[in-house]
Amino acid sequence: MSRLAFRAAAAVVGVALLAVYLTAALFVADLLRVLWAARPDLPVLLALLAAAALGSAYLSYRLGTAQILANLEGDRVPRERAPDLHRRVDSLAARMDVARPKLYVTDARAPNAFAVGGGADGGALVIDRSLFRLLAPREIEAIFAHELAHLEGNDGFAIAMADGIGRSLVGIATVVALPALLALSGLAAASAWIRGRPGDRSGPFARLHRALAGALFAGFVLATLVARSRSRKREFAADDRAAEVTGDPVALARALRRIERATDPTWSFAPFSTHKRTDGAAERWLSTHPSTDERVERLRERAEAQGPTRRIPAGPSRTTAGRGRARR
C-alpha cells in the first residue's frame, strides 16, 4: 500500500472513530440532560443523592461484614467450650459501653485479632488461636480491650461509611465527566489516525483526556487517603481506650511487640518476603494502621505518666512505619 493510500485509509478510520466516540458522548450527554431536566427541586435532589450514597455505603458495609464472617476458617466458640475466654470478654464488655460480641477462634497462621460489626447486635470478635500461645493473660486482655474499643466506637461502620461516601462522590463526578472523557478520547484517537500515527497519544486532545482522567483518579485517591487517615486515628483511640479500661498500657505495648516479632520473617531470604519493612511514604499514607513504633511510643508515654511500670520491649532497629501487617 502506498503512503498516500495509507494516509487516506487512516483518515477514514480516524473520522469513523470520531463519529463513534462523539455519538456515544452525545448519547450520554442527552441522557444526563434528560435526567437533569426531570430532577426534583435542589434540596430534594441533594437529599436523594445523600441517601443513595449512604445506602450504598451501608449495604457495602453489611455485605462485607457478612462475607468476612462467612469466609472465616474457624468456628464460633460457645460458652461451654471456653468459659474462661467468655468470662474475660464479659468482664471487659461490662466495663465498656459495648454489647457482648460473638466469639470466633480461627487458624489464620499468623497472630491476629480483629472486630467486625458492632451496634445493637454486638458484632463479633475474631481471635487467632496462636495468640493464646504467644501472649500472656494480661496481654491477651489488652488486645481484647483494643478490639472491643473498636466495637464500642462502631469504628468499622464509621470508616466504611466515610470510604463509601467518598467513593460515591467520585463516582458521581465521573458520570458527569463521562461525555467529555468520551469526546476527548475520540478526538485524540481520530487526530492520531488522521496524522497517520495511530499509536501517538501526544496531541492536545490526548493531554486533556489524561488531565481530566487524572483529576478523577486523584479524587479517588484523596477519598481513600481520608478514609485511611481516619482508620489510623481510630487505632490510636482504641489503644487509648484499652489502656484506660485495663489500666495497663504496658500490657498492650508488649502484646503489639510480640505480635510484630511473630510476624517478622527470620529466614535468610526475608528481604524478598511479603512482610518486608518499608519506609515508603505512600504505603504509610495508605496503611489502615499506624506503625507499631508509633503505637508503642504513645503507650510508653502513657505508662510513664501513670508511674513506674514494667519495661516495654524495645522496637526493632528499623522503623515499622506503613507496614501492611495483621490487623490488631
Side-chain angles (χ1 to χ4, degrees), residues 199-271:
D200 183 20
R201 290 296 183 270
S202 61
F205 297 116
R207 290 196 294 270
L208 285 173
H209 181 273
R210 286 196 295 271
L212 182 54
L216 293 170
F217 180 73
F220 171 79
V221 171
L222 179 61
T224 301
L225 291 177
V226 170
R228 297 299 170 86
S229 174
R230 179 171 177 79
S231 176
R232 292 192 297 273
K233 290 179 181 177
R234 295 312 305 164
E235 288 300 319
F236 284 137
D239 285 347
D240 291 340
R241 181 61 171 148
E244 176 188 352
V245 170
T246 62
D248 191 356
V250 171
L252 180 57
R254 292 178 68 89
L256 293 174
R257 281 295 186 214
R258 289 181 190 274
I259 292 172
E260 178 189 49
R261 289 169 177 170
T263 54
D264 268 336
T266 56
W267 53 300
S268 57
F269 295 101

Side-chain angles (χ1 to χ4, degrees), residues 94-118:
R95 285 179 265 166
M96 305 172 75
D97 185 19
V98 59
R100 188 184 176 284
K102 297 177 282 291
L103 298 182
Y104 293 83
V105 173
T106 184
D107 291 294
R109 292 180 286 278
N112 191 13
F114 61 91
V116 295

Side-chain angles (χ1 to χ4, degrees), residues 17 40-41 44 52 90 107 174 204 225 267 269 284 286 301 325:
L17 284 173
D41 293 336
V44 177
D90 289 344
D107 291 294
T174 302
L225 291 177
W267 53 300
F269 295 101
R284 289 199 299 271
L286 291 171
E301 292 173 357
R325 292 270 191 237

